[in-house]
Amino acid sequence: MRTEVLKFSEESAQKAAEILKNGGIVAIPTETVYGLAANALDENAVRSIFAAKGRPQDNPLIVHISEIEMMKPLVSDVPELAKKLAERFWPGPLTMIFNKTSAVPDVTSGGLSTAAVRMPKNEAARAIIEKCGFPLAAPSANTSGKPSPTAAEHVFEDMNGKIPLIIDGGECAVGVESTVICFKDGKIHILRPGGITKEMLEEFGEVEVDKAVEAAPAPDEKVISPGMKYKHYSPKAEVFIVDAHGDKFADYCRKNGGGKTLFLSCGEREGFLDYGETSEIQARRLFSLLRLSDEKGAERVFVEMPSKEGVGLAVYNRLLRAAGFKIINVEQYE
Ligand code: AMP
Ligand code: MG
């Protein structure tokens, strides 16, 4: 199959919608990362997403809507708190989990009785969902396990020959996937941190962060969000988080780097790749730098410990998984 890449326009959005209406899959930009979209209510279409990504069947997909009305037939028991959050953060990078109705096929929910719903803000994503008139399941448009795509070129690397069309909407504004939350005992429970931060959600009530966000689940542990248990976001190179900052990080890298090691620093530094001084910039750059490490044939990547505040928690969460939870404690080497 030839994969066409078209810049987002009225016509390309129309073309994408035609493919989607015929049960096909198309990669679309969103403000978080690029998504591999199909009709969320069409079992066969959803199956082709799992096939193209090589995604484990038990890892559920997020259902993307363009207006609140679209959600009504899909889920039940929506708490008042969720309605308030939708008013404040939709459209935007927040995904909420509710009990699903039979309208959402089990393949979409990975066999769970719940469904994850999000209303994206990106203009192209919204236009395409509107033209379809049905919700789109759209996991990140990468091969399962690889870093998520934040530009159309990344999608092309992974999906060339597997899908008919990529809509190019430029670089993703947020750069990491949406914040995923569920509601437990009246509290907001963060399953995956993202662009809508814990601090932002705290204005609306008590917020707890699932322990899987910062820790590796035990081999047989049951996790609420199945995506949390898989190795993720990984380039070919072995990634390490170095628990040090500034000059201390740089010294560690120079002494221990050797060979084909790349260094990602929080800010500019001679001989280092700059992944950004703020958490927002780090979120935007992280995945493309992990992809770049493959292009450069790196064997190892040392990453300066990011801040865990705000969007930083999402950056840290993705890095932990990319690194297979390997953190180097610099003090031990001194
Ligand atoms: P991705 O589509 O690649 O952004 O991944 C979607 C994330 O949302 C994964 O971590 C899933 O495990 C999580 N997710 C989707 N639906 C549900 C659900 N019904 N319950 C819990 N987690 C979910
Ligand atoms: Mg993903």
Side-chain angles (χ1 to χ4, degrees):
M1 182 190 293
R2 205 176 77 83
T3 300
E4 204 176 359
V5 183
L6 295 177
K7 290 245 181 291
F8 166 62
S9 67
E10 185 57 31
E11 297 81 68
S12 65
Q14 191 57 43
K15 186 160 185 180
E18 293 308 324
I19 296 172
L20 292 161
K21 283 181 190 167
N22 285 317
I25 54 179
V26 176
I28 62 168
T30 83
E31 69 274 24
T32 58
V33 302
Y34 274 73
L36 197 56
N39 181 348
L41 311 183
D42 175 343
E43 270 181 46
N44 288 328
V46 170
R47 281 206 181 88
S48 32
I49 296 181
F50 281 94
K53 279 181 63 77
R55 181 173 173 113
Q57 301 282 333
D58 68 344
N59 193 0
L61 308 182
I62 295 170
V63 176
H64 294 75
I65 57 172
S66 56
E67 54 185 321
I68 209 89
E69 284 300 310
M70 240 182 200
M71 182 170 96
K72 291 197 175 143
L74 311 178
V75 295
S76 63
D77 314 312
V78 176
E80 278 309 311
L81 178 54
K83 291 178 188 158
K84 285 194 189 131
L85 295 177
E87 236 167 68
R88 169 70 181 81
F89 298 113
W90 279 359
L94 179 69
T95 297
M96 297 195 263
I97 293 173
F98 306 112
N99 289 330
K100 79 172 189 74
T101 66
S102 58
V104 180
D106 289 340
V107 247
T108 306
S109 67
L112 297 174
S113 59
T114 51
V117 185
R118 174 164 107 82
M119 188 192 289
K121 191 172 192 165
N122 178 281
E123 191 193 352
R126 294 178 63 75
I128 294 166
I129 303 169
E130 266 167 33
K131 285 181 193 301
C132 286
F134 48 72
L136 296 178
S140 51
N142 53 289
T143 302
S144 207
K146 292 229 318 182
S148 301
T150 53
E153 299 76 53
H154 303 159
V155 181
F156 192 79
E157 276 166 27
D158 285 15
M159 293 297 150
N160 183 21
K162 293 186 176 172
I163 61 173
L165 178 61
I166 298 168
I167 298 294
D168 183 352
E171 259 182 59
C172 298
V174 180
V176 289
E177 301 84 346
S178 59
T179 304
V180 179
I181 61 169
C182 64
F183 300 92
K184 263 172 65 176
D185 313 320
K187 289 183 207 149
I188 299 170
H189 189 86
I190 298 182
L191 297 171
R192 178 177 73 182
I196 303 300
T197 64
K198 176 170 186 273
E199 294 81 351
M200 289 156 90
L201 293 168
E202 267 162 356
E203 282 178 33
F204 292 82
E206 209 177 318
V207 181
E208 48 185 30
V209 178
D210 196 87
K211 61 185 193 313
V213 166
E214 289 198 46
D220 292 320
E221 192 176 319
K222 203 171 159 4
V223 288
I224 311 178
S225 185
M228 289 291 195
K229 69 185 179 206
Y230 295 109
K231 185 170 169 167
H232 235 120
Y233 320 117
S234 303
K236 291 193 194 93
E238 206 176 353
V239 178
F240 297 85
I241 302 175
V242 179
D243 190 6
H245 300 282
D247 291 345
K248 209 165 178 182
F249 167 71
D251 284 346
Y252 177 85
C253 291
R254 292 197 183 103
K255 283 187 195 136
N256 300 280
K260 292 184 167 177
T261 310
L262 278 187
F263 310 133
L264 302 196
S265 55
C266 306
E268 280 180 38
R269 191 175 276 276
E270 177 87 32
F272 288 60
L273 290 171
D274 173 13
Y275 86 109
E277 276 184 24
T278 67
S279 299
E280 284 74 17
I281 302 174
Q282 291 169 4
R284 276 201 293 277
R285 289 187 189 162
L286 179 65
F287 287 137
S288 75
L289 285 171
L290 291 179
R291 278 183 181 260
L292 183 71
S293 71
D294 277 349
E295 254 171 62
K296 289 187 176 283
E299 282 165 6
R300 294 190 298 172
V301 185
F302 287 172
V303 187
E304 183 169 352
M305 178 65 90
S307 152
K308 297 178 199 167
E309 303 285 307
V311 189
L313 187 61
V315 173
Y316 180 62
N317 169 268
R318 305 310 189 272
L319 261 177
L320 264 181
R321 279 161 179 79
F325 297 92
K326 295 185 300 295
I327 300 178
I328 296 173
N329 177 351
V330 169
E331 312 297 333
Q332 283 176 354
Y333 292 83
E334 285 175 343

